């Protein structure tokens, strides 16, 4: 039923992993305002929103480049990608806010469990969004 090429799926998954590494870690480090304030009990909204927006923009770039490279980027597909990016923004915001409300002590097991849950949630969301895009692309080509 689905004739997606394995190579395309691997390219998309690796691209999303690199996006996550770059946006969730490397692009957060130069902005002390972002990583120091997104977990505070007050004035946390904008730093967390900015961080989540960086991740959503990264997803948008990956999906647009992928679609343009392997398929034909239409206005309908672009709209789908924008919606998926907004879903990523919201979900990244919610996952990171949850993590920020958890106790922060790197010497406690709970901290590392929370980091693992946070990272797993981001990966599951990325995979789900990619799966939706691939299904939409597959329907578009047929």
């Amino acid at each position: 039923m689905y004739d997606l090429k394995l190579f395309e799926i691997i390219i998309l998954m690796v691209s999303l992993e690199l996006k996550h590494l770059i946006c969730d870690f490397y692009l957060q480090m130069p902005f002390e305002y972002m990583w120091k304030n997104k977990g505070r009990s007050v004035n946390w909204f904008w730093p967390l929103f900015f961080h989540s927006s960086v991740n959503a923009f990264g997803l948008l770039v990956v999906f647009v480049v992928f679609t343009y490279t392997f398929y034909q980027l239409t206005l309908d597909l672009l709209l789908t990608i924008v919606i998926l990016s907004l879903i990523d923004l919201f979900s990244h915001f919610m996952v990171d806010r949850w993590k920020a409300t958890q106790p922060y002590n790197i010497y406690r097991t709970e901290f590392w469990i929370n980091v693992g849950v946070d990272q797993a949630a981001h990966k599951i969301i990325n995979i789900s969004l990619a799966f939706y895009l691939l299904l939409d692309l597959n329907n578009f080509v047929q």
Side-chain angles (χ1 to χ4, degrees), residues 23-40:
C23 294
D24 211 35
F25 295 98
Y26 295 142
L27 290 181
Q28 186 172 204
M29 286 302 108
F31 300 101
E32 187 174 332
Y33 165 78
M34 195 170 15
W35 60 266
K36 268 197 172 175
N37 295 316
K38 70 179 187 174
R40 295 176 54 170

Side-chain angles (χ1 to χ4, degrees), residues 19 48 55 62 75 94 112 121 131 133-134:
K19 182 277 301 183
L48 184 54
N55 279 276
V62 167
L75 198 53
M94 297 305 290
W112 295 106
F131 183 70
L133 177 67
L134 290 169

Side-chain angles (χ1 to χ4, degrees), residues 1-127:
M1 180 179 199
Y2 299 110
D3 60 319
L4 294 170
K5 298 176 191 153
L6 182 60
F7 175 74
E8 293 173 8
I9 296 171
I10 292 170
I11 292 293
L12 183 57
M13 293 297 110
V14 169
S15 299
L16 285 174
E17 282 299 310
L18 291 173
K19 182 277 301 183
H20 182 73
L21 178 66
I22 292 166
C23 294
D24 211 35
F25 295 98
Y26 295 142
L27 290 181
Q28 186 172 204
M29 286 302 108
F31 300 101
E32 187 174 332
Y33 165 78
M34 195 170 15
W35 60 266
K36 268 197 172 175
N37 295 316
K38 70 179 187 174
R40 295 176 54 170
S41 56
V42 294
N43 299 325
W44 56 267
F45 181 86
W46 290 113
L48 184 54
F49 181 80
F50 181 64
H51 170 70
S52 301
S53 297
V54 167
N55 279 276
F57 182 74
L59 183 101
L60 181 109
V61 169
V62 167
F63 281 4
V64 165
V65 169
F66 176 82
T67 304
Y68 181 79
T69 302
F70 293 105
Y71 298 89
Q72 181 181 357
L73 184 61
T74 65
L75 198 53
D76 287 345
L77 286 173
L78 185 59
L79 179 61
T80 297
I81 291 169
V82 168
I83 291 168
L84 293 174
S85 298
L86 291 173
I87 292 169
D88 186 51
L89 183 139
F90 177 76
S91 60
H92 200 99
F93 186 94
M94 297 305 290
V95 168
D96 276 17
R97 184 60 192 156
W98 167 81
K99 185 180 74 173
T101 62
Q102 303 306 304
Y104 188 90
N105 182 344
I106 63 171
Y107 300 107
R108 301 210 25 111
T109 305
E110 294 83 9
F111 171 80
W112 295 106
I113 291 171
N114 293 336
V115 169
V117 168
D118 167 78
Q119 293 303 302
H122 290 318
K123 291 182 187 327
I124 290 168
I125 291 163
N126 279 339
I127 290 168

